[in-house]
Amino acid sequence: MKKEQNETLEMFCAAIELKEKKKALYADAMKSCPDRVGVETFKMLMEAEDDHIKRVQEVYEELKKGKVSLDACQFHRFESADKKSVLRKIASQHGKMPKACLDDVAAIERGMQLEDAGIQFFEKQLQKAGEPEEKEFLSRLIAEEREHYILLADLKFYYVDPEHWFMEKSK
């Protein structure tokens, strides 16, 4: 195997491993969270990571065949076009929670760390990328990781300071 193919394989394997870790974290957090807002948010993130794993695998298979186009780099859109409204929508459907789901804050922080690790990893790969398709693929991965990070940060705010969250986010 050529050096370039080896590096590409390593990148795809690392990406899948990171996404598998996040998927497992969100699945565990979803099971242990008694709050519907947390459950729905973790479920949405877990499903997004699962979709990304499948998409990364598909793109790698196409790359091996030499058939990669910019269309292969596209991900399915997140459930909501306005990510910032996701938590607001879920919270309004379920009302204020009786007490903060503080056990889940640790899971949220771990998720934020993993999302940040993904951003850093893909940014390093982007600096090395030479092909336009590869750059586009990595840019889209970075954008998705950032969206997940922002959603987790908002969920953390919701749990840590629900009164201020509702004052700031409620319309």
Side-chain angles (χ1 to χ4, degrees), residues 21-38:
K21 284 180 184 178
K22 291 190 289 182
K23 179 183 164 188
L25 174 73
Y26 300 143
D28 288 344
M30 186 177 73
K31 291 175 192 170
S32 66
C33 183
D35 177 54
R36 292 300 313 157
V37 175

Side-chain angles (χ1 to χ4, degrees), residues 12-167:
F12 277 94
C13 289
I16 288 173
E17 181 182 353
L18 183 60
K19 292 197 163 290
E20 288 284 358
K21 284 180 184 178
K22 291 190 289 182
K23 179 183 164 188
L25 174 73
Y26 300 143
D28 288 344
M30 186 177 73
K31 291 175 192 170
S32 66
C33 183
D35 177 54
R36 292 300 313 157
V37 175
V39 169
E40 289 185 38
T41 304
F42 287 131
K43 181 179 182 209
M44 184 174 47
L45 287 166
M46 182 189 73
E47 290 171 352
E49 293 301 343
D50 194 42
D51 287 345
H52 289 174
I53 290 165
K54 290 174 188 166
R55 196 70 193 121
V56 167
Q57 290 170 333
E58 288 171 10
V59 170
Y60 182 71
E61 290 304 316
E62 292 297 309
L63 184 65
K64 285 193 320 190
K65 296 175 191 172
K67 298 184 195 176
V68 176
S69 70
L70 286 179
D71 290 338
C73 300
Q74 292 187 5
F75 289 104
H76 302 288
R77 294 307 306 154
F78 217 27
E79 269 186 28
S80 171
D82 179 14
K83 276 49 163 199
K84 294 180 181 179
S85 71
V86 172
L87 229 49
R88 193 171 30 240
K89 182 186 95 189
I90 295 169
S92 69
Q93 291 171 349
H94 297 285
K96 288 188 179 183
M97 60 181 181
K99 67 180 184 82
C101 194
L102 293 178
D103 292 341
D104 293 309
V105 172
I108 293 165
E109 288 174 344
R110 180 67 181 131
M112 290 171 71
Q113 289 170 349
L114 288 172
E115 296 295 346
D116 188 52
I119 293 166
Q120 301 304 317
F121 174 75
F122 294 126
E123 283 178 342
K124 283 181 187 175
Q125 297 303 314
L126 183 61
Q127 290 173 354
K128 298 183 214 174
E131 299 294 319
E133 294 86 1
E134 187 179 8
K135 288 180 180 184
E136 178 68 20
F137 179 68
L138 291 166
S139 294
R140 290 182 183 174
L141 281 170
I142 292 166
E144 288 290 328
E145 302 295 289
R146 284 187 177 134
E147 289 173 358
H148 295 176
Y149 184 92
I150 290 167
L151 184 60
L152 286 167
D154 198 28
L155 183 62
K156 180 181 174 184
F157 179 34
Y158 173 79
Y159 284 137
V160 172
D161 195 351
E163 290 80 21
H164 283 105
W165 186 92
F166 274 97
M167 285 176 23

